[in-house]
Amino acid sequence: MNTIVRPALMLCGLLSLLTGLAYPAVVTAVAGWVFPAQAAGSLILADGAVAGSRLIGQAFEDPRHFWGRPSATAPQPYNGAASSGSNLGPLNPALAEAVQARVQRLRAADPGNPAPVPADLVQASGSGLDPHISPAAAAYQIGRIARLRGIAPAALESLVAAHTEGRQWGLFGEPRVHVLALNRALDERFPVEGR
């Protein structure tokens, strides 16, 4: 019996060291060397301080900024430690009420905008962390922001166009706008008084 148990325990210990410690350490080191920005969390820096991540959205409440997709994470929006959707099905009345409340909020913030509200401004993503909106969602908000900041809509249209990312490798996904990057450029180019 001892001749079977001892080698099994030795092999278990060796494989635990290899697969539980050595392999993750090597992969982490290689990732940090080959992809340093991504391995560090794809952070966005502003004046040496972390402003956010390219991977996790932020809640912008100020109507002078572009708003991102709603987030269903708890206890606060865009909680990277609790990535989740709302888990409400399409026939659930609570989902319809939440979407309707978001539409009303957008309409109240820009009552003169007759355009249909883009779906990504009223429906949360599956992860609750999506940092992007569609170019249509950004365009929908241009009138409100231009009016509140006192700038020409054409200037915002060019800013949105400059921050619209195409399909990955020209094939995958849809064109998108990174909300944090767009808002940082907006504040830099058109600063708000008193900020």
Side-chain angles (χ1 to χ4, degrees), residues 81-178:
S83 172
S84 66
S86 69
N87 291 331
L88 298 176
L91 300 178
N92 190 320
L95 178 62
E97 290 170 13
V99 168
Q100 189 58 34
R102 293 171 185 151
V103 169
Q104 289 173 352
R105 177 178 179 240
L106 287 163
R107 294 281 187 214
D110 193 8
N113 189 346
V117 176
D120 55 327
L121 287 179
V122 295
Q123 296 175 348
S125 66
S127 69
L129 304 176
D130 194 352
H132 298 96
I133 56 175
S134 66
Y140 178 84
Q141 301 179 70
I142 286 175
R144 178 193 78 227
I145 297 166
R147 184 182 79 253
L148 293 174
R149 286 188 179 238
I151 56 179
L156 285 178
E157 289 169 5
S158 66
L159 192 65
V160 168
H163 285 83
T164 299
E165 304 168 15
R167 297 171 186 262
Q168 189 170 7
W169 302 311
L171 298 170
F172 302 111
E174 295 295 325
R176 61 208 177 277
V177 179
H178 193 274

Side-chain angles (χ1 to χ4, degrees), residues 33-66:
W33 178 61
V34 177
F35 303 107
Q38 292 87 342
S42 299
L43 300 177
I44 297 174
L45 301 176
D47 300 324
V50 176
S53 170
R54 292 213 42 87
L55 305 175
I56 299 177
Q58 292 184 10
F60 288 95
E61 298 293 328
D62 187 342
R64 297 174 294 185
H65 282 117
F66 287 91

